[in-house]
Amino acid sequence: MASGDDSPIFEDDESPPYSLEKMADLVAVWDVALSDGVHKIKFEHGTTSGKRVVYVDEKEEIRKEWMFKLVGKETFYVGAAKTKATINIDAVSGFAYEYTLEINGKSLKKYMENRSKTTNTWMLQMDGQDFRVVLEKDTMDVWCNGKKMETAGEFVDDGTETHFSLGPHECYIKAVSSGRRREGIVHSLVVDGQEVPAAACQ
């Protein structure tokens, strides 16, 4: 079974029912937050047949039957930006295996730590709909619910504003200097003149 910080967590969600045989081969589930949304990665590993199946958001990405080598890696791509993901299969002892997920060559934990430095995420609800707005600080790209938004940048007295709209709502992300070198630039999302608090999770 998996161990360590990057271990998958099994969740009891309303996913489609699995057959007993299929359920026995499901060894890992990960949730990966990218700019275009949170993607669910599932991995099936048949340790008797050597079968390997990778699902991204319930869609089969890789299927290999009858692999003689039970350890190794499977590489595939996730999300709109085609982010590279690799599942490493390592033998721990005897017939026990450890499964770790790497995103862009970094462990999932390291990748998510780095992402929290390079992106800002806001969750809001308007007109009965949930919105997840993500700012990529390095490119100033803005994503909302999986789509890259059309934006217009503007210099203002105390920094910059990146304008976009969500339906009838006027939005902008304001970037101002914190005045402290370690904090750098502070980004805030303003919707219809009201500031939206940043989401705790990315």
Side-chain angles (χ1 to χ4, degrees):
M1 219 42 213
S3 64
D5 288 329
D6 302 331
S7 301
I9 296 162
F10 285 90
E11 298 174 328
D12 290 323
D13 61 353
E14 275 87 58
S15 44
Y18 288 96
S19 68
L20 228 49
E21 173 202 334
K22 192 172 178 188
M23 202 58 190
D25 289 342
L26 182 68
V27 293
V29 179
W30 295 275
D31 285 326
V32 181
L34 300 176
S35 295
D36 66 337
V38 179
H39 300 278
K40 190 175 283 293
I41 297 171
K42 293 182 180 179
F43 183 53
E44 291 179 15
H45 188 215
T47 51
T48 47
S49 65
K51 176 183 84 168
R52 296 179 190 176
V53 188
V54 176
Y55 297 93
V56 177
D57 301 325
E58 304 300 336
K59 184 172 167 281
E60 190 175 292
E61 291 294 320
I62 296 173
R63 173 176 289 272
K64 294 182 179 171
E65 306 279 355
W66 300 106
M67 301 272 296
F68 291 106
K69 203 166 163 220
L70 291 175
V71 294
K73 343 176 136 211
E74 291 300 336
T75 298
F76 51 98
Y77 297 90
V78 182
K82 300 278 179 232
T83 303
K84 185 178 173 189
T86 303
I87 295 172
N88 295 303
I89 308 152
D90 298 299
V92 183
S93 62
F95 291 103
Y97 296 89
E98 180 178 75
Y99 307 95
T100 52
L101 179 66
E102 287 179 2
I103 305 290
N104 278 346
K106 295 185 178 79
S107 73
L108 181 59
K109 183 172 187 265
K110 273 257 183 304
Y111 177 79
M112 295 319 283
E113 281 169 5
N114 189 48
R115 232 187 111 63
S116 67
K117 292 178 196 138
T118 60
T119 61
N120 274 43
T121 303
W122 295 271
M123 310 291 265
L124 60 148
Q125 203 177 44
M126 293 184 299
D127 311 327
Q129 193 181 347
D130 289 326
F131 292 93
R132 178 179 183 268
V133 177
V134 178
L135 167 70
E136 293 182 352
K137 295 181 201 174
D138 51 352
T139 59
M140 293 305 286
D141 286 341
V142 177
W143 293 75
C144 182
N145 292 0
K147 291 189 178 69
K148 197 164 159 186
M149 305 303 289
E150 289 218 8
T151 60
E154 176 185 339
F155 287 99
V156 291
D157 287 347
D158 52 353
T160 62
E161 292 177 357
T162 303
H163 291 261
F164 60 99
S165 35
L166 296 174
H169 303 281
E170 288 302 313
C171 313
Y172 64 89
I173 294 172
K174 187 161 183 141
V176 294
S177 171
S178 63
R180 291 187 287 280
R181 191 186 307 164
R182 286 196 61 189
E183 258 182 70
I185 307 287
V186 176
H187 297 89
S188 49
L189 173 64
V190 178
V191 177
D192 295 336
Q194 299 288 311
E195 189 172 329
V196 177
C201 66
Q202 297 297 310

